[in-house]
Amino acid sequence: MTAALTIDGLNVRFRLRDATVHAVTDLSLTLHRGELLAVVGESGCGKSVLAHAVLDLLPANAATTGTVQFGAGSRPVRELRGRHIGLIPQSPATALTPVRTGRSLLAETLRVHGRATTDADTVAAEAGLDPADLDRYPFQLSGGMAQRLATALAIAPDPAVLLADEPTAGLDRPLVDHTLDLLRRRCAAGTAVMLITHDLTAAQRVADTVAVMYASRIVEHRPADEFFTAPHHPYAAALLDSLPDRAFQPIPGHPPMLTDLPAGCAFAPRCPHASPDCAAQPAISDGAACHHPLSVVGAP
Amino acid sequence: MNGLAAHEVTVAYGRQTVLDRASIHIGPGETVGLRGPSGCGKSTLVRVLALLHRPDDGHVSIDGNPVTGARYRVAAAVRTRIGVLFQSPRSAADPRLSLADIIAEPLRATKAERIQDRVVELAYTAGLTTDLLRRQPHAVSDGQLQRACLARALAHRPDYLLCDEATTMLDASTQAHVAAVITDHQHRHGTGVLLITHDPALMHRWAHRVIDWPPDQAAPATAVEHADHH
Ligand SMILES: Nc1ncnc2c1ncn2[C@@H]1O[C@H](COP(=O)(O)OP(=O)(O)OP(=O)(O)O)[C@@H](O)[C@H]1O
Ligand code: SF4
Ligand SMILES: [Mg+2]
């Protein structure tokens, strides 16, 4: 397997007037060609910041350490954005240039990347957008149409690595499936896809691997089928249990404050398995960062 | 009749008719689910019911009283009886305000020294930690901003709350939390809730009855078993 994206020891801190936000901590992962990795986790845990850090698109108050490498090369991400690595941003409706039609945005993207502007209709259709809707201005697009336009813009240059941040949010089931099939087809052609999503059903359907984030860290990273059958990390298990077709109960307690994280496991205040050991940061082993992983002999 | 209702409303954008003599009724204390394909006019219906868009024909009524006009032509006392949560909180929140100020927007009538406490209380209910309150929207995640919008919506103590794909940007646990908060508010204030979602499991668990949209092509409304979070 060839690595398409290697992240090693990534940390992202935001400096605020009176606090520091720990948005990504000690994060390492490798994404291979043809792999679809689903990144899931609590709202606010650092998923979008991770995507922006990989693309070097963070705001000025961010400080980043660690390395991000694409393929075997060492070219800076600035030169690779678009052509080699694409982003479908979260909530694209507000990110689109308001004074230009979808067609004009898409044609420019195609031109810049050496493709015929006449491909616009084909690319739109691949993203599930009716080519006729390309002639609308962003304010005339429904949320779901804006979403599919953003997808079309990201896939137009045919990038080797695709970061998709909630690309199916607000779409109806047939369009969700259309988008998931598109991502899968890209993988079959060798693209490496990082799918950030709250839709665990979608993740289960298409992902090869799953990374669960909690409070800025990856707490579990395993093959998707194994993960969905038996999660090891108590947070991951609690997340799956809170689905509306399961208990539909929120995880007790409060989300952690990323400005004031404990030295040990950040899930401890909400964890039914916490013990004094958990005051020390657990290292990741067998795909989970936990002192008392579930589904292991002897554990509850 | 008590409730929030649209009566035979028609809305066209240019030559495209999005709503054609559409009617719907949301009674006090009930949760009405609305489902249908992307782009079928559900969000337009929400904007009409929220008095943000004036229909070309037909009208909206609250507790039997017809409302005329839309936006600022409607008295604030009427408008604020209806809360809305949109799918994307980014377009619904002023990017220059702090989260605390966004939540406090409806509290202008409250005594100044009470506002701070009320904001913290509402933020806590919506699942926001205090470190987020002084930040502006660009410095929080989409889901955190959505929870601020929920806190703001609850600050109004709306009689009707319209949720248009409002929990899609939340993880399953936060979604369950938000659903429980809204249901609790509903039980205490008799709020009528409109729930739009593409997630069949969420719809089944949360809505008391479900309407397929657009109504003319759809099967009659189906009742689902009562969902209770307590
Ligand atoms: N510019 C910024 N300055 C300070 N803090 C920030 C900034 N941008 C994001 N954050 C914080 O960093 C954390 C991670 O944010 P991020 O947007 O990555 O969350 P997320 O996992 O994508 O959440 P969601 O599921 O809600 O989209 C959040 O707690 C957020 O408040
Ligand atoms: S390390 Fe301890 S507190 Fe953290 S998830 Fe594991 S058991 Fe729970
Ligand atoms: Mg995000």
Side-chain angles (χ1 to χ4, degrees):
Chain A
M1 282 197 294
T2 329
L5 170 67
T6 313
I7 303 173
D8 193 27
L10 184 69
N11 287 283
V12 179
R13 305 283 176 261
F14 290 107
R15 282 179 312 272
L16 298 172
R17 217 174 311 139
D18 47 2
T20 302
V21 180
H22 293 235
V24 176
T25 305
D26 231 349
L27 191 145
S28 300
L29 67 81
T30 303
L31 182 60
H32 301 96
R33 288 195 61 204
E35 176 181 347
L36 198 155
L37 166 72
V39 177
V40 305
E42 192 161 59
S43 167
C45 71
K47 304 176 298 294
S48 298
V49 170
L50 167 64
H52 286 90
V54 166
L55 281 155
D56 197 13
L57 286 175
L58 290 170
N61 70 330
T64 308
T65 58
T67 59
V68 174
Q69 196 189 341
F70 295 95
S74 57
R75 280 165 68 194
V77 62
R78 249 173 301 117
E79 296 171 16
L80 300 173
R81 242 182 257 144
R83 180 72 191 86
H84 292 271
I85 168 155
L87 172 70
I88 305 175
Q90 188 174 18
S91 309
T94 42
L96 296 165
T97 319
V99 293
R100 295 177 59 188
T101 63
R103 186 175 301 285
S104 131
L105 292 169
L106 188 52
E108 178 183 288
T109 305
L110 288 165
R111 194 170 335 103
V112 167
H113 296 288
R115 286 185 65 180
T117 54
T118 45
D119 286 349
D121 283 11
T122 327
V123 175
E126 192 187 351
L129 186 67
D130 182 345
D133 291 331
L134 281 178
D135 296 311
R136 297 176 185 243
Y137 287 91
F139 71 89
Q140 295 169 318
L141 298 173
S142 72
M145 286 176 188
Q147 187 65 67
R148 284 167 280 157
L149 175 59
T151 301
L153 290 169
I155 61 171
D158 204 4
V161 178
L162 184 59
L163 309 181
D165 195 351
E166 301 289 350
T168 62
L171 301 182
D172 62 19
R173 279 289 141 187
L175 287 171
V176 168
D177 288 339
H178 186 103
T179 305
L180 297 178
D181 291 343
L182 167 134
L183 297 178
R184 247 341 324 169
R185 271 199 310 280
R186 294 266 147 183
C187 289
T191 304
V193 176
M194 184 191 287
L195 168 67
I196 297 173
T197 187
H198 288 306
D199 186 341
L200 297 170
T201 315
Q204 183 162 19
R205 195 162 91 72
V206 294
D208 300 307
T209 43
V210 177
V212 183
M213 282 183 75
Y214 187 79
S216 83
R217 293 173 184 269
I218 289 183
V219 296
E220 182 155 357
H221 185 180
R222 290 168 61 220
D225 46 354
E226 293 174 21
F227 171 77
F228 284 107
T229 324
H232 285 176
H233 196 280
Y235 166 68
L239 179 68
L240 290 175
D241 260 343
S242 60
L243 281 167
D245 48 7
R246 299 212 194 163
F248 201 41
Q249 288 289 339
I251 299 170
H254 294 281
M257 291 206 265
L258 300 189
T259 48
D260 187 20
L261 287 173
C265 175
F267 192 56
R270 308 168 83 178
C271 181
H273 310 288
S275 77
D277 296 346
C278 307
Q281 189 59 237
I284 199 154
S285 87
D286 280 338
C290 175
H291 291 295
H292 309 292
L294 309 171
S295 315
V296 171
V297 189
Chain B
M1 183 162 49
N2 276 351
L4 174 65
H7 306 267
E8 309 239 309
V9 295
T10 298
V11 173
Y13 299 120
R15 256 174 291 153
Q16 192 192 0
T17 303
V18 185
L19 295 176
D20 185 12
R21 283 162 294 152
S23 300
I24 190 170
H25 177 260
I26 302 147
E30 73 166 338
T31 303
V32 178
L34 187 63
R35 70 179 164 212
S38 290
C40 73
K42 302 183 300 292
S43 297
T44 302
L45 181 66
V46 165
R47 294 182 57 79
V48 169
L49 284 170
L51 310 177
L52 295 169
H53 188 103
R54 192 200 161 121
D56 299 309
D57 204 2
H59 72 277
V60 172
S61 70
I62 306 181
D63 297 340
N65 305 312
V67 183
T68 49
R71 301 195 87 101
Y72 296 100
R73 254 165 271 166
V74 181
V78 175
R79 237 187 309 127
T80 55
R81 292 189 59 195
I82 306 163
V84 205
L85 282 172
F86 295 104
Q87 183 192 330
S88 171
R90 298 263 164 222
S91 38
D94 186 333
R96 293 159 305 182
L97 296 182
S98 68
L99 263 52
D101 289 338
I102 289 171
I103 298 170
E105 264 174 18
L107 300 175
R108 265 174 241 129
T110 311
K111 280 209 202 76
E113 62 272 21
R114 279 275 298 128
I115 289 184
Q116 169 87 20
D117 290 350
R118 186 86 179 104
V119 165
V120 170
E121 183 188 316
L122 285 161
Y124 179 87
T125 308
L128 286 175
T129 49
T130 47
D131 60 319
L132 302 170
L133 294 178
R134 261 184 289 168
R135 292 194 215 159
Q136 290 174 313
H138 70 84
V140 299
S141 80
D142 281 36
Q144 290 168 337
L145 187 55
Q146 183 69 330
R147 278 171 274 163
C149 291
L150 170 67
R152 174 180 61 185
L154 297 181
H156 279 291
R157 290 207 216 289
D159 294 322
Y160 300 96
L161 183 60
L162 315 175
C163 305
D164 188 357
E165 292 287 351
T167 59
T168 37
M169 79 299 296
L170 302 174
D171 62 276
S173 167
T174 309
Q175 172 173 274
H177 175 80
V178 164
V181 167
I182 291 175
T183 306
D184 180 56
H185 181 88
Q186 174 175 50
H187 287 171
R188 280 187 291 129
H189 303 282
T191 313
V193 174
L194 180 71
L195 172 70
I196 298 183
T197 173
H198 292 301
D199 181 345
L202 182 66
M203 189 64 106
H204 180 78
R205 200 63 185 257
W206 193 353
H208 301 149
R209 63 183 171 99
V210 180
I211 297 170
D212 285 297
W213 206 259
D216 43 347
Q217 307 167 6
T222 49
V224 296
E225 84 193 43
H226 184 88
D228 205 322
H229 312 286
H230 294 275

